[in-house]
Amino acid sequence: MGIDIKAGGRVKNKVRLIKSDNPYARLLAKLYKFMARRTDSKFNKVIAKRLNMSRRNRPPLSLSKLAKFMAGKEGKIACVVGTITDDKRFYDVPKVTVCALRFTETARARIVKAGGECITFDKLALRSPLGQGTVLLRGPVKSRRAEKHFGLAPGVPHSTARPYVRSKGRKFEKARGRRKSRGYKA
């Protein structure tokens, strides 16, 4: 008995591979692919998967969010497959060890000044090969401006989607359905 293949062939799940030309990023993906296979650590499998993700799915994480997530987790290493960015609205950076793909200059300076440490994933592989004593974090994936336009069409009841408008002035999609004084407010 063969497989019943309809026109178009059967669907095979294609594993996403890293598209970057950066040799260091490629080596990291290779290292964690190996570690995911050779250890039975779920942590390594997740890191391997995230290293192969597109830039859109590796959103940055700010210092303020990092501090919020690491509150009460002293002595653990924060791991972010993405960039750590600075937050000027946030004053007192706690002492924390952070592992990330990239750090902005100001974010790195502030972490080091607070007595913390910034490490890369190859250093993490030596320190904690199975991911013990780590906290895995992610940036907000749905915070892109484009995401605000997705969902139920704007103007439909219970929709919070933002319309594509060429200008934000009084004359542009601000009348019926938007103001009580102009017919009704949805």
Side-chain angles (χ1 to χ4, degrees):
M1 287 291 289
I3 329 167
D4 184 20
I5 299 179
K6 289 182 182 164
R10 65 169 181 220
V11 178
K12 288 187 178 177
N13 290 339
K14 188 175 178 297
V15 178
R16 194 187 186 284
L17 296 172
I18 190 164
K19 290 219 170 56
S20 169
D21 294 328
N22 182 345
Y24 301 109
R26 283 184 167 277
L27 280 170
L28 270 186
K30 207 172 186 178
L31 167 71
Y32 273 91
K33 182 183 175 185
F34 173 80
M35 285 171 63
R37 194 179 74 242
R38 292 298 297 266
T39 63
D40 23 302
S41 155
K42 184 103 186 282
F43 174 83
N44 287 337
K45 286 182 173 57
V46 173
I47 297 287
K49 183 180 162 190
R50 287 188 192 177
L51 284 169
N52 284 309
M53 282 183 177
S54 60
R55 180 104 170 255
R56 178 194 284 190
N57 291 314
R58 289 187 281 113
L61 185 72
S62 69
L63 271 182
S64 53
K65 282 281 195 300
L66 176 76
K68 189 180 101 176
F69 292 140
M70 291 302 287
K73 296 188 174 77
E74 285 75 29
K76 289 190 183 277
I77 303 171
C79 300
V80 182
V81 184
T83 311
I84 297 289
T85 54
D86 188 19
D87 193 343
K88 286 180 182 170
R89 302 164 298 180
F90 182 64
Y91 291 113
D92 26 312
V93 180
K95 180 183 173 182
V96 66
T97 305
V98 192
C99 173
L101 288 180
R102 285 175 65 243
F103 296 86
T104 60
E105 277 181 39
T106 44
R108 185 188 293 275
R110 288 184 71 184
I111 291 168
V112 171
K113 189 181 175 189
E117 197 183 357
C118 301
I119 64 171
T120 50
F121 277 99
D122 51 328
K123 290 249 175 36
L124 181 76
L126 294 169
R127 247 189 234 192
S128 172
L130 299 177
Q132 311 101 318
T134 58
V135 179
L136 193 52
L137 303 174
R138 280 182 98 169
V141 181
K142 299 283 181 187
S143 284
R144 290 186 316 128
R145 182 134 179 235
E147 294 276 353
K148 292 191 178 2
H149 295 285
F150 302 158
L152 278 172
V156 170
H158 314 300
S159 160
T160 54
R162 181 183 286 182
Y164 290 104
V165 185
R166 103 186 118 105
S167 181
K168 249 185 93 97
R170 170 188 57 82
K171 299 186 284 188
F172 302 94
E173 302 196 17
K174 289 272 167 62
R176 284 183 74 242
R178 292 286 177 182
R179 288 186 283 173
K180 198 92 169 105
S181 61
R182 299 285 179 274
Y184 70 99
K185 168 106 171 67

